[in-house]
Amino acid sequence: MRLWFVIAGIDGAILILLGAYGAHNVALDSDARRWFDTAWQYQALHAAALLAIAVAIAQVGRLARITLNLAAVSFALGTALFCGSLYRMALASEALFPMAAPIGGSAFILGWVAIALAGLIACRRPG
């Protein structure tokens, strides 16, 4: 649980630094701006989700905790690959590597499915 607080905090700090950079970088053309804005919006959503997962992990049973950890790993991987690739597209006009963004986007989807599964597991838990 503590690890996800640390990762969410670092992710949030990087988000603010990149957001400030993007807001003050007048050299970004409209296509680059679109890539950059999409990246920070997805990163912001998933940084907040990582923080929520860190809190939720303490509230659920073992199997739901495992599932929430899968969600957190998926969100961290999705942020690195999807957002990282979009930031690179905005700043260097090339992706991290071929298929980085789709793989990262799939990781985001997997994370949200894992959260739903953890919720179902937690609802079935007696008490």
Side-chain angles (χ1 to χ4, degrees):
M1 172 176 87
R2 292 180 189 139
L3 174 64
W4 295 122
F5 279 115
V6 172
I7 292 172
I10 291 168
D11 192 17
I14 291 169
L15 167 67
I16 299 304
L17 291 168
L18 285 169
Y21 175 80
H24 297 288
N25 188 339
V26 294
L28 293 177
D29 64 24
S30 63
D31 286 337
R33 174 73 50 205
R34 216 175 34 241
W35 288 117
F36 201 91
D37 288 348
T38 299
W40 76 255
Q41 290 166 2
Y42 272 77
Q43 186 176 359
L45 171 67
H46 291 90
L50 277 172
L51 185 58
I53 289 170
V55 171
I57 283 175
Q59 309 299 315
V60 296
R62 184 179 150 280
L63 186 55
R65 263 194 316 275
I66 291 168
T67 309
L68 286 174
N69 276 295
L70 172 62
V73 167
S74 296
F75 287 168
L77 181 64
T79 298
L81 295 178
F82 182 84
C83 299
S85 193
L86 267 57
Y87 286 129
R88 185 164 169 117
M89 285 294 297
L91 301 172
S93 298
E94 61 182 49
L96 286 175
F97 58 86
M99 300 298 292
I103 292 168
S106 297
F108 282 150
I109 294 166
L110 175 63
W112 288 108
V113 170
I115 286 176
L117 182 58
L120 290 172
I121 292 167
C123 286
R124 295 185 52 97
R125 190 177 118 195

